[in-house]
């Protein structure tokens, strides 16, 4: 039986055309996909049956919003039983946010959901669009069942959806997942590297998702000189429910700045979740390693361990969309639920 795959086209460089104002999304990718599949030597043996769903409007992914994450997840969940896998075509700028979001927002598990995009549009000489699309389709059609999960296929790598980050605006290997071993590699052959998928907690019945306001989650990066006032100002909005704090190294923050730590404490006491991630690409939060990290823990902040910024932000949106109270969110984060 040929595999049945649904390709969801959301926009992004992969299908863009040159306009007077620069590259902009173009609607005619479905025809190119059909042509590509008909010509594609890779699929001569057992070609999958492909259907496409093109979004309206198609967007540059810099216009992505949490509402569109939910739409993609809902579109996939509603068609889950009709397909063996899904491919999502997406702009590279915020692809890592969407792939992270889909890891949490798609509550059905066991089928591959593969995100890809391109550094250059289809029609351009030396474009990576064709190879990335063909690789994504092949991965969606052949990923071992025990590994089937949300992942990103780009250039030569297959990466876990909620550990991937964009590392280059120029290279064809635009993404990496330095905090998590790749799920596989793409060369002449496609190799899967055996990491089983993380099985996410499922409550029964699944809660209806209701997105919080877009600014319910805020992101703040530490830098030398950061002030308590800045944190206070960032959390002053009454809709703010959670802060992702990008700290140094293993989760360190200024420890000789009692004002800043007191402000973290006061924010936490007001019921705002403070989730700490690490700034370096391969950083993992380990509060106990330095006294400067222990101080954040002492103020009530939660370790995001190996979560990327993208995963931390989207996981918080998901938990808020489930209707979780702050204490419940803190509890789930502390116990690594749905990592
Ligand atoms: N601005 C584009 C987007 O994210 C960049 C890309 O796709 O590579 O949609």
């Amino acid at each position: 039986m040929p595999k049945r795959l649904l390709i969801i086209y959301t926009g992004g460089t992969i299908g863009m055309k040159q306009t007077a104002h620069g590259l902009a999304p173009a609607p005619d990718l479905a025809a190119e996909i059909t042509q590509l599949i008909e010509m594609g030597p890779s699929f001569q043996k057992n070609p999958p049956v492909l259907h496409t769903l093109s979004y309206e409007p198609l967007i540059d992914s810099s216009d992505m919003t949490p509402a569109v994450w939910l739409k993609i997840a809902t579109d996939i969940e509603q068609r889950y039983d009709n397909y063996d896998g899904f491919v999502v075509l997406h702009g590279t700028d915020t692809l890592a946010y969407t792939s992270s979001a889909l890891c949490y927002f798609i509550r059905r598990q066991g089928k591959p959901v593969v995100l890809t995009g391109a550094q250059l549009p289809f029609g351009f000489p030396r474009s990576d669009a064709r190879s990335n699309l063909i690789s994504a389709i092949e991965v969606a059609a052949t990923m071992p069942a025990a590994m089937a999960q949300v992942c990103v296929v780009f250039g030569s790598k297959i990466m876990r959806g909620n550990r991937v980050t964009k590392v280059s605006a120029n290279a064809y290997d635009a993404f990496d997942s330095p905090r998590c071993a790749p799920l596989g590699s793409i060369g002449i052959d496609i190799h899967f590297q055996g990491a089983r998928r993380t099985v996410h907690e499922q409550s029964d019945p699944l809660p209806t998702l209701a997105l919080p306001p877009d600014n319910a989650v805020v992101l703040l990066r530490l830098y030398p000189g950061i002030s308590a006032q800045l944190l206070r100002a960032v959390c002053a909005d009454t809709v703010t429910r959670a802060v992702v704090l990008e700290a140094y190294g293993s989760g360190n923050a200024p420890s000789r700045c009692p004002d800043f730590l007191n402000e973290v404490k006061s924010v936490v006491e007001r019921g705002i979740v403070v989730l700490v991630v690490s700034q370096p690409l391969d950083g993992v939060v380990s509060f106990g390693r330095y006294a400067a990290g222990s101080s954040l823990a002492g103020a009530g902040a939660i370790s995001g361990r190996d979560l990327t910024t993208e995963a931390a932000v989207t996981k918080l949106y998901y938990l808020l969309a489930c209707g979780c109270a702050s204490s419940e969110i803190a509890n789930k984060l502390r116990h690594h639920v749905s990592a």
Side-chain angles (χ1 to χ4, degrees):
M1 275 276 279
K3 292 283 178 73
R4 292 169 59 82
L5 304 179
L6 179 65
I7 301 179
I8 299 179
Y9 173 37
T10 68
T13 296
I14 189 163
M16 286 189 183
K17 295 271 172 351
Q18 195 68 54
T19 72
H21 307 287
L23 290 171
D28 46 1
L29 192 64
E32 304 214 35
I33 292 172
T34 313
Q35 206 187 6
L36 175 83
I37 301 315
E38 281 165 3
M39 289 172 8
S42 348
F43 297 118
Q44 274 166 8
K45 273 199 209 130
N46 196 8
V49 174
L50 301 174
H51 292 159
T52 53
L53 174 63
S54 197
Y55 278 10
E56 172 56 43
L58 293 163
I59 57 170
D60 184 300
S61 77
S62 48
D63 285 317
M64 188 53 63
T65 60
V68 185
W69 301 337
L70 182 58
K71 174 175 168 45
I72 302 170
T74 307
D75 281 339
I76 290 175
E77 281 194 344
Q78 285 173 347
R79 294 161 178 80
Y80 211 75
D81 293 329
N82 303 338
Y83 291 97
D84 299 299
F86 301 85
V87 172
V88 179
L89 305 182
H90 197 288
T92 62
D93 288 341
T94 62
L95 187 149
Y97 283 93
T98 301
S99 63
S100 298
L102 294 184
C103 285
Y104 304 118
F105 280 77
I106 299 174
R107 277 91 51 86
R108 309 241 355 228
Q109 297 176 39
K111 293 186 178 177
V113 176
V114 182
L115 288 92
T116 196
Q119 293 286 52
L120 286 171
F122 255 106
F124 282 43
R126 299 199 303 112
S127 169
D128 51 341
R130 182 178 188 281
S131 57
N132 281 348
L133 174 58
I134 297 243
S135 298
I137 291 171
E138 283 207 29
V139 168
T142 60
M143 186 171 237
M147 289 179 70
Q149 58 190 281
V150 178
C151 64
V152 173
V153 164
F154 212 99
S156 64
K157 296 184 193 132
I158 309 169
M159 295 152 283
R160 187 165 143 195
N162 58 357
R163 289 297 180 277
V164 76
T165 197
K166 184 172 176 180
V167 293
S168 175
N170 181 56
Y172 288 126
D173 270 323
F175 290 86
D176 202 356
S177 69
R179 299 177 193 186
C180 175
L183 302 178
S185 59
I186 295 166
I188 292 175
D189 295 314
I190 293 181
H191 289 292
F192 292 100
Q193 269 160 230
R196 298 178 74 84
R197 69 170 175 275
T198 309
V199 178
H200 288 186
E201 182 204 47
Q202 300 278 0
S203 53
D204 197 19
L206 290 171
T208 307
L209 298 178
L211 280 175
D214 281 356
N215 44 351
V217 180
V218 296
L219 172 59
L220 186 63
R221 184 176 173 92
L222 293 188
Y223 56 92
I226 192 166
S227 65
Q229 289 92 314
L230 180 65
L231 179 59
R232 195 171 310 136
V234 159
C235 297
D237 191 330
T238 50
V239 302
T240 302
R241 300 276 314 277
V243 182
V244 174
L245 196 61
E246 283 189 342
Y248 307 123
S250 51
N252 307 322
S255 58
R256 293 169 181 234
C257 179
D259 283 359
F260 185 80
L261 292 170
N262 285 338
E263 193 56 38
V264 172
K265 201 160 176 265
S266 128
V267 162
V268 172
E269 281 166 3
R270 282 177 8 234
I272 295 175
V273 175
V274 178
L275 180 59
V276 179
V277 295
S278 171
Q279 292 183 9
L281 276 178
D282 60 354
V284 172
V285 174
S286 172
F287 278 150
R289 181 164 301 174
Y290 292 92
S294 303
S295 56
L296 267 184
I302 298 168
S303 166
R305 302 170 318 280
D306 63 342
L307 286 179
T308 55
T309 295
E310 296 89 334
V313 167
T314 54
K315 187 171 183 177
L316 286 166
Y317 269 112
Y318 172 68
L319 293 171
L320 289 169
C322 289
C324 296
S326 304
S327 54
E328 206 181 337
I329 295 176
N331 196 33
K332 285 182 188 288
L333 292 171
R334 287 202 167 94
H335 293 96
H336 313 184
V337 173
S338 299

